[in-house]
Amino acid sequence: LTTTSFSWLIMTMLLLLYTLNFVGINYALSGERSNENTSFSIATNGQLFPWNNLRLPSWILPVHYDLLIHPNLTSLTFMGSVKIEVTVVHETSAIVLHSKHMEITSAAIEEETGKTQADLKQLQVLEYPFHEQIAFLSTEPLLVDKKYFLSINYIANLSDGFYGFYKSTYKTKDGQTRLLASTHFEPTSARMAFPCFDEPSFKANYTIKIRRDGQHIALSNMPKVKTLHLDTNLFEDHFAESVKMSTYLVAFIVSDFQSVSGTTSSGIKVSVYATPEKLNQAHYALEAAIKILEFYEQYFDIYYPLPKQDLVAVPDFQSGAMENWGLTTYRETSLLYDPETSSASDKLWVTMVIGHELAHQWFGNLVTMEWWNDIWLNEGFARYMEFISVDATYPELQVNDYLLGTCFAAMGRDSMNSSRPISSKAENPTQIKEMFDTVSYDKGACILHMLRNFLTEEVFQNGIIHYLKKHSYRNAKNNDLWNSLANTCSEEDFTSGKFCFSKGQHSFQYRYYVDEHFDIAEIMNTWTLQKGIPLIIVEQNKKRIKIRQERFLKGIFPHEPQWSSMQIGFLWHVPLTYITSHSKSIGKHLLKNHSDTVELEEDISWIKFNVDMNGYYIVHYEGNGWDTIIKLLNENYTLFSYKDRANLIHNAFQLVSAGRLSLDRALDLTRYLQHESSNIVLLQGVGYLQVIYHMMERRNISDVTENLKHYILQHFKLVIDSQTWSDEGSVSDRMLRSHLLELACDLEYLPCVQKANEIFRKWMISGGNLTNVPSDVMETVYSVGSKTADGWNFLLERYKVSMSGAEQSKICSALASCKDDAKLTRLLELAMEGHTIKTQDLPSVIYSVSTNPAGQQLAWRFVKKNWSKMLEKFPLGSFSMRSIIVGATAQFSSKQELEEVKLFFESVKEEVSQLRAPHTAVENIEKNIKWLERNLVTLRKWILENL
């Protein structure tokens, strides 16, 4: 699963999660019980339901599903029948499985007896909607080691949301609305499409048949093997039997889509499907998918196990993409690339999403986490493999530069007390949905990056190959990964003479840590089983370096009473790296205690920890450490790599938020940036100044706002003026251009505003047919143009007819940037209605309006007023609801706003009591308030001194 992107920073900031402790109570007719007190569940008909746990009993195991689906795109209903082959592990009279929003019309069971099967025996059906479960009761016990066939017929409505088997629509160029039906099952929605054992450990094979009319095609995980002509305009497509997989990976689509296809070097057919009028935007995705699929086969040393891989752009899609085995599905903006309207950032996004979903074909599909508490084994790996795969296949995209931003985002989330451990308890569907957050994805990727650098690339790759091969078509837990990384040897390795690594060879493989004794599981458990991020405090005295670690917390300062209690029990095993004024190689040290000392061979004048930010920790240099670094940057910033420079800027501003460093020192560190040659570092530094500027603007602190505006334009005038209004240069150059020109126009820099207005007027006069609005500056041009009534209305009409999701996204951001309350209200209402602007885009519209100083209160009032309607559109634990909760409040920084937000969440306490997002929203506002109280005077003084 890939989370969607308003922009990457917004996406990672808003991915949030909570953990709710839950104790289940087992009760079953089979006699299985937990140690808890027994309680009873009552079915909808008043009878005793034979199970009282959210997790299914393990006495029946599915082996094979034979599934027939017949959707009706006129009545928006579907009929289904499923025949499930099961094996009995414990004798029982009840088969309990999942079902949600389905009407079971009949159910029967038959026993396999040699070559023939006994007569069908009808089963009584009990429903327990609270756990989304049904039970089939047999008059005779089902015997151990016997094979049975459970046959179920049912009917249901196509879902009106984004989960299960749901309806989607799109409009053609001539305004016709066309319907299709698609699936999205992860994490717990296969049960909305067919009765099933809807937990990841219940893997089985699937044979799927789909009925459709003649104007549609059907797609599923496997290739179509035949089509039966049943009636005048009714066809039944039969698909090959699938490999063994979890229910959430099953997928099928009925649509009128068209495709472009190619073949990998190993013979896998790859096809990209889209609506007919957008098929011309599918070619880049096809090229990328073939390249990346070939790379993974080589990197994992395991052939992709299916004969085909389809990638489908679905018009209505809540997340970014979904890894269904052999039939990956995507939001249109995550798959389609239009050279006329897609920017460099859009191209990078599409490539990385494809890299993510194809990585899942191994991590997640071939080897699946045992339960959702370890979803990071799927998502953290897939996020990290985006960077490895895209770097190997498209080096010109310089994707590794953006791993820094991924880890910065993870640290921002993880430095709040409302964070959670990577591996967290999750039982009910709401809790499970909240597991898909920045902790699972981004922190997961960053600790894997740290581990890869710690182990060396060779050991890391060998370890994950061992993990994948050992657990293929099975489920795994955290410790299975650590064991594979600690012991990559097998009998085959020894007999073939291949290189391998076992636990007894630590000193050879970890040659940089010669004197260290460690256990990978012990080290990594400190990163996965406890929340938070370590702060490494460095005190340098000639050649003696004293280091200590604490838990890093933003918005909670060491002098505050609660700080000490929040430090209790936190200790990480930190693989430290460092360079010094005299070092010729990277120093390494494994910090396993609260404090330690590193003795160097000679006296040094400076030291910098976390080389190239390959570690997941923040560093504070006590004494004159930061003064020395600032001096070095001003004298010769190339002493540090560009990643180290970005890391230093990031750490400095994080330390300000934690009360460890004064704001004027962090700002002093940025003064050298007018000479900076790295686009990534420049964006990092300018980004912090921009965040501070917008906070001042929203609080209407006019003197600081104006002075900071003048300082930014004065200090970065040369680099702003050097930007061209084009799509030329490297990806890095193009992304810098997009950001700097957007900032300059936002700061009302006259040359920028004039040029954007000139381009916009020409484009509007042409009726939007002018094709030379460069895609990298398109959003800036549209935003400037939206400030007039005519411009705003023209953009809205353009949005309605555009065939490019990339362009629509840019228009939406531009419409949200205007200063007119009535227009912003209309934009929010259009997104809520879901016709002109699709419902999937409502969270991003709310966020965009909330970041507009003219719209932040408007967006919050809108959320409060429409809270119930939003809960009808999006599940409570979904990314969409979390982004609405946090996004609408992220800009607040006053005590009055804090009280308003608290009061609202108190009023809906019954609904949000399970969620972590409200706690995160409140904590974020408290952090903003403290930041202003602590730093406003310093900021005002520093700007005046440096203008």
Side-chain angles (χ1 to χ4, degrees), residues 703-717:
D703 64 318
V704 180
T705 303
E706 284 303 306
N707 287 337
L708 185 52
K709 176 196 296 187
H710 292 315
Y711 172 78
I712 294 170
L713 291 175
Q714 169 189 301
H715 201 65
F716 298 101
K717 185 177 189 301

Side-chain angles (χ1 to χ4, degrees), residues 26 153 250 317 321 341 420 488 538 590 669 735 823 906:
N26 292 331
N153 294 309
V250 175
F317 206 87
T341 58
R420 63 159 181 98
T488 63
V538 179
L590 183 63
L669 188 147
M735 292 177 76
K823 287 184 169 54
E906 182 65 26

Side-chain angles (χ1 to χ4, degrees), residues 844-898:
S844 62
V845 170
I846 291 172
Y847 181 83
S848 296
V849 172
S850 75
T851 60
N852 180 347
Q856 60 176 355
Q857 290 295 333
L858 191 70
W860 175 235
R861 288 195 299 269
F862 183 83
V863 169
K864 291 190 291 184
K865 178 182 176 182
N866 293 281
W867 178 258
S868 297
K869 292 180 183 176
M870 289 178 186
L871 287 181
E872 293 171 6
K873 295 177 182 292
F874 305 113
L876 191 57
S878 66
F879 165 76
S880 295
M881 280 309 299
R882 284 176 279 140
S883 63
I884 287 169
I885 290 170
V886 180
T889 59
Q891 319 305 322
F892 291 163
S893 58
S894 73
K895 291 180 179 178
Q896 180 184 344
E897 290 165 332
L898 176 63

Side-chain angles (χ1 to χ4, degrees), residues 418-695:
S418 57
S419 186
R420 63 159 181 98
I422 282 181
S423 186
S424 298
K425 193 167 185 179
E427 293 293 334
N428 66 45
T430 297
Q431 291 173 323
I432 292 167
K433 285 184 178 73
E434 278 213 318
M435 292 297 288
F436 293 82
D437 73 333
T438 198
V439 174
S440 290
Y441 286 73
D442 296 344
K443 182 178 180 179
C446 295
I447 67 165
L448 288 171
H449 180 65
M450 179 172 67
L451 183 60
R452 181 184 179 213
N453 281 273
F454 177 58
L455 297 178
T456 73
E457 160 59 23
E458 186 176 30
V459 173
F460 181 80
Q461 185 177 356
N462 285 344
I464 62 176
I465 289 172
H466 184 262
Y467 168 79
L468 290 171
K469 288 185 175 179
K470 183 176 181 180
H471 300 284
S472 289
Y473 303 104
R474 292 192 290 166
N475 299 80
K477 295 183 287 192
N478 260 356
N479 281 340
D480 295 317
L481 176 62
W482 309 144
N483 289 337
S484 289
L485 287 166
N487 189 346
T488 63
C489 294
S490 67
E491 290 182 13
E492 180 187 348
D493 292 324
F494 286 118
T495 56
S496 67
K498 289 181 183 176
F499 164 83
C500 73
F501 166 63
S502 67
K503 292 179 181 177
Q505 296 173 296
H506 281 161
S507 59
F508 173 74
Q509 283 303 320
Y510 304 99
R511 53 192 178 278
Y512 295 117
Y513 298 85
V514 173
D515 298 324
E516 306 291 356
H517 300 283
F518 52 80
D519 176 272
I520 291 179
E522 184 183 20
I523 293 169
M524 295 310 296
N525 283 342
T526 71
W527 298 95
T528 60
L529 301 183
Q530 66 180 345
K531 66 180 178 180
I533 178 173
L535 170 65
I536 305 301
I537 301 169
V538 179
E539 183 185 342
Q540 176 198 338
N541 184 12
K542 296 182 179 179
K543 66 178 181 180
R544 172 171 287 187
I545 313 299
K546 292 183 179 179
I547 49 179
R548 67 183 193 273
Q549 63 166 293
E550 296 172 356
R551 179 187 174 195
F552 180 74
L553 288 164
K554 282 200 299 191
I556 301 168
F557 303 148
H559 66 269
E560 295 179 319
Q562 70 267 40
W563 186 86
S564 295
S565 64
M566 291 180 177
Q567 296 291 328
I568 296 171
F570 287 90
L571 178 70
W572 288 265
H573 290 193
V574 190
L576 299 173
T577 56
Y578 57 87
I579 53 172
T580 72
S581 55
H582 291 66
S583 61
K584 294 178 182 176
S585 61
I586 296 172
K588 301 194 174 188
H589 181 77
L590 183 63
L591 177 64
K592 296 188 286 187
N593 301 310
H594 285 289
S595 61
D596 206 347
T597 301
V598 177
E599 293 282 351
L600 303 177
E601 294 179 355
E602 57 186 323
D603 291 350
I604 59 168
S605 58
W606 60 264
I607 189 167
K608 196 273 174 188
F609 276 84
N610 202 357
V611 179
D612 285 340
M613 206 187 138
N614 287 327
Y616 187 76
Y617 54 92
I618 287 172
V619 184
H620 177 45
Y621 303 92
E622 288 194 326
N624 64 353
W626 280 106
D627 293 335
T628 301
I629 287 168
I630 291 168
K631 186 172 182 288
L632 288 169
L633 287 170
N634 283 321
E635 291 174 353
N636 180 16
Y637 67 85
T638 59
L639 281 171
F640 303 108
S641 71
Y642 76 93
K643 289 183 179 179
D644 276 336
R645 300 196 298 272
N647 176 228
L648 287 167
I649 293 168
H650 170 264
N651 279 195
F653 280 95
Q654 297 307 301
L655 290 166
V656 171
S657 294
R660 291 285 188 172
L661 190 67
S662 64
L663 177 61
D664 55 352
R665 303 311 287 137
L667 291 169
D668 285 343
L669 188 147
T670 67
R671 285 193 53 77
Y672 92 93
L673 282 172
Q674 59 186 332
H675 308 296
E676 177 60 67
S677 58
S678 165
N679 295 340
I680 295 300
V681 182
L682 192 56
L683 282 173
Q684 182 71 18
V686 171
Y688 280 113
L689 296 174
Q690 187 175 2
V691 166
I692 295 170
Y693 168 79
H694 283 140
M695 180 183 280

Side-chain angles (χ1 to χ4, degrees), residues 39-57:
S39 68
F40 302 94
S41 299
I42 304 301
T44 52
N45 67 352
Q47 284 185 235
L48 177 68
F49 193 79
W51 186 244
N52 193 37
N53 195 332
L54 278 164
R55 300 276 291 272
L56 294 179

